[in-house]
Amino acid sequence: MIKKALIYVVCFTIGLYALRYLHWKGLLTQKQGYYAKYRTAFLEKNDFDVLFLGSSRVAMHYNTALFDSLTGSNSFNLSLSGATPRVSLAVLKAYLQNSALPKCILLETDLHNVNVDGDIMEFNNYFPFFKNKTLLDEFDKIDPRMKYFYYNAFYSWPYTGYRNLNTSLHSWLGINGKIDDRFYKGYVRNDYENGSCLKLAKPYTAGFTAMNGKCFQEIITFCKQNNIQLILVSSPMFAGGKIDLLNKQQIVTIVDAYAEINELQHWNLSSTPYCNQRGLFIDHFHMNYKGARLFTSKLAYLYSNNCQKNALNP
C-alpha cells in the first residue's frame, strides 16, 4: 500500500513538473506580446544603444519605432508594470546578464508613484524567465518567495493564473493574442481614444520612500560606474498631475535635486500643454498612442539636441 502510494506521488510530481515545463515553453516561444518582450530582455543577447526604463507608463509612452526613426538610435523599452526604482534596478541588472551595456538610459521618474514601494506586480509573468539567474536573485531580494516559485512546481502552480495558461495554449496552437501585434521592441501601442474612461481625481500627497530614494540613487550610481549616460524623464500626466498629486512641485524639486547633485539632466514633460487633452489619455497617468506620439517626438528632439548634438526640429 505504501509502495503504491509512493509511486502515485512520484508520478504525480513528475506529471506536474512536465506540465509546468510545457506551459513555460509555450510562453517562452511566443513570437509577439509581453512574453516575447521578456524573452528579449532577459534571455537573449542584445546590443541596444538606448534603453527606456520604468513602469507601464514607459511601456505606453515611449514609442521605440518613432524614437528610432527620428534619432537613428536602436532603442528598447525595458519596462515592467508597476515597476518601482527597486524593481527597475533589478530589471536593468538582469538585462545586462546577457546583453551589452547601452550608451544611454532614459529613466522614468513616475512622480505620482514614488510613495509606493510595492511588491513585484504580476510576478507570475516572470517565472519562466528565472533561467536568468540575476533576475531570480534580484527579484528574490524583493520577494523571498521567488526561488520557491521557480524550483517548486507545487508552490508555483496555484499562482499561475488563467491568463498565463491561455497565452501558453495560444502559443502552442499558433494563435496570436488580441494585443500581441501592438508590441514593438517593448513599446505597446494603446489604441483607446475615448477619454471618458478618466475617473474623478482622488487627490493625495506623496514623497519618496526611503527604499525608493535609496534605489533611485543606486540606479544613478550604477550608470556612473558603467559609463552609461543617464537621463531622468518625467512623462505627461493628465492635467499635469496637479489634480491628483497635490504636492507635485515638491516631488519635482526632489528629482531636480537628484539631477543637480549627480550632474544629470531632468526632462520634465509632465505638464506639457497637451496634458489637458482628455482624448490623449486612457486614465490620469497613461497616454494612448496619439499622446505617445506627441511625447516621443518631443523626447527625440531633446535627445538629438542634448545627447547626439544633432539638431532636430521640434
Side-chain angles (χ1 to χ4, degrees), residues 10-26 153-154 157 168 172:
V10 170
C11 290
F12 180 77
T13 301
I14 293 173
L16 191 66
Y17 275 88
L19 283 173
R20 193 178 73 165
Y21 169 80
L22 293 173
H23 167 54
W24 285 3
K25 187 170 181 60
F154 289 93
W157 261 117
S168 179
W172 277 106

Side-chain angles (χ1 to χ4, degrees), residues 80-96:
L80 267 64
S81 294
T84 61
R86 191 179 188 187
V87 171
S88 291
L89 179 60
V91 167
L92 176 59
K93 290 179 177 179
Y95 168 83
L96 293 174

Side-chain angles (χ1 to χ4, degrees), residues 231 258 306:
I231 298 168
Y258 273 108
N306 291 281

